[in-house]
Amino acid sequence: MSLYLLNQSYLTLCAAITAGIQSTFFCISAYLKFDKLTDFAGGINFLIIAGSTFLLGQRSIKPPYDSRQLLITGIVGLWGIRLSSYLFYRILIIGRDARFDRIRDNVGRFAVFWSFQAIWVFVVSLPVIFTNAPHNSIANGAPNIMTPLDSLGTLLFSFGLLIETFADLQKFSFRQNPANIGKWCNVGLWRLSRHPNYFGEILLWSGIFVISTNVTKGIEWSAVASPLLTAFLLLFVSGIPILERSADKKYGNNSEYRFYKKSTSPLIPMPPAFYLSIPNILKRTVCFEFPMYDLYIKKQK
């Protein structure tokens, strides 16, 4: 039964779509030595996967549509449009993506990045792929919308999207102000978390997964890899570690920055006074304040 479900979920088609999109944008970027299309390509890929699986999963191209499938496709589309548009606009204003300074001219290493991006898009899209599968439609016996899980998932997504959006706008506005040159962002949500946009990202994909649990069965529970991979990459690979190291190099000798880092949660927004009062063991285990985020600071001492 599990293999049958996988065959009915358009996984092969989605993998082919992802490989095609990422390969195309990689070839363009590598040939032009251009790094302004990477995040845009990721966002567009999510939109195409969500839209394609939704349309293929309907019994008819005309309404009425399956409500849950329409919901999850719509919120993934909203997230994809918001994030890809913002990141594309930001990179046009900034002019370059510092992540690629050492690999832009190395085709092999550049290709590795695009390969990982393809894997990321495919795995994180699993909740919407499985939810949009024909056998998971209301017409085929799936629970009617809105279940408590639909409500909870939509709530988590909404909060996550709002947090991510406001955090991005606050930081972009801060960076564009000439008076803030040479300063770290500590306004708005950034007073409560060193990386509130990442908290929003993890929260919203957790919400999308929760919605998908209404219909997932058997091997489809592998969709939990979506929020888990998102959290893993942001906490340990391409998110917080890189930004923490960069900020420490720039501001590590500044006592005010050191206090900001000590009193501000790395991920979950909370008042600085409350965070300071939390025992170190809880900061490590509950608040994600991992020792790896302080490595450069310790080297300077």
Side-chain angles (χ1 to χ4, degrees):
M1 184 64 176
S2 295
L3 290 177
Y4 172 77
L5 292 180
L6 289 179
N7 289 334
Q8 296 296 310
S9 299
Y10 308 117
L11 286 176
T12 302
L13 175 63
C14 291
I17 289 173
T18 301
I21 292 174
Q22 298 304 313
S23 296
T24 299
F25 277 102
F26 161 69
C27 290
I28 295 172
S29 300
Y31 179 75
L32 298 176
K33 295 183 179 180
F34 193 64
D35 56 19
K36 295 181 174 62
L37 296 176
T38 51
D39 293 317
F40 179 76
I44 290 299
N45 206 151
F46 279 102
L47 290 173
I48 293 176
I49 285 180
S52 298
T53 55
F54 173 75
L55 292 175
L56 289 170
Q58 305 307 307
R59 289 188 171 184
S60 170
I61 60 173
K62 298 180 180 179
Y65 299 123
D66 182 285
S67 300
R68 180 174 296 103
Q69 292 177 345
L70 186 61
L71 168 66
I72 200 167
T73 301
I75 62 177
V76 170
L78 177 63
W79 168 84
I81 292 172
R82 202 291 302 181
L83 188 64
S84 59
S85 299
Y86 164 72
L87 292 176
F88 187 60
Y89 174 75
R90 187 185 67 173
I91 194 64
L92 289 178
I93 297 297
I94 295 175
R96 68 181 181 87
D97 192 330
R99 294 176 300 173
F100 303 107
D101 285 348
R102 295 184 179 181
I103 66 173
R104 192 181 296 110
D105 297 326
N106 188 315
V107 176
R109 295 178 66 183
F110 204 33
V112 170
F113 168 84
W114 283 89
S115 298
F116 275 112
Q117 176 154 284
I119 295 171
W120 166 69
V121 170
F122 180 76
V123 173
V124 175
S125 294
L126 287 177
V128 69
I129 293 173
F130 288 139
T131 301
N132 282 344
H135 60 268
N136 283 332
S137 67
I138 290 176
N140 287 318
N144 288 324
I145 208 165
M146 293 282 292
T147 70
L149 288 175
D150 289 311
S151 300
L152 175 61
T154 303
L155 188 64
L156 290 173
F157 172 84
S158 300
F159 275 123
L161 185 65
L162 285 174
I163 291 171
E164 183 180 58
T165 301
F166 277 106
D168 284 341
L169 291 176
Q170 287 169 349
K171 189 170 188 177
F172 184 75
S173 178
F174 182 88
R175 295 297 189 202
Q176 293 305 111
N177 187 342
N180 294 326
I181 294 177
K183 299 180 181 179
W184 63 93
C185 182
N186 60 351
V187 299
L189 290 170
W190 300 85
R191 291 183 61 253
L192 308 177
S193 167
R194 304 204 299 270
H195 305 280
N197 54 334
Y198 291 162
F199 176 73
E201 181 82 353
I202 294 170
L203 195 63
L204 69 87
W205 279 108
S206 298
I208 292 170
F209 167 70
V210 168
I211 293 173
S212 76
T213 60
N214 281 285
V215 294
T216 49
K217 55 186 75 70
I219 201 167
E220 290 179 329
W221 280 97
S222 60
V224 72
S226 173
L228 291 180
L229 179 62
T230 299
F232 176 77
L233 291 176
L234 294 179
L235 288 170
F236 300 108
V237 184
S238 61
I240 295 179
I242 293 176
L243 293 180
E244 290 284 307
R245 184 166 58 251
S246 175
D248 288 352
K249 288 181 179 179
K250 292 179 181 178
Y251 316 115
N253 292 322
N254 188 311
S255 60
E256 292 183 4
Y257 168 77
R258 287 174 179 266
F259 181 76
Y260 166 77
K261 186 167 184 175
K262 180 180 179 181
S263 62
T264 308
S265 166
L267 185 69
I268 305 171
M270 60 184 71
F274 176 75
Y275 186 69
L276 278 172
S277 68
I278 298 176
N280 286 333
I281 185 65
L282 292 181
K283 289 181 180 178
R284 299 286 196 236
T285 57
V286 178
C287 300
F288 308 104
E289 187 71 83
F290 301 124
M292 63 186 296
Y293 300 158
D294 285 327
L295 289 179
Y296 191 80
I297 290 273
K298 291 179 179 179
K299 287 181 180 179
Q300 290 181 313
K301 291 182 179 180

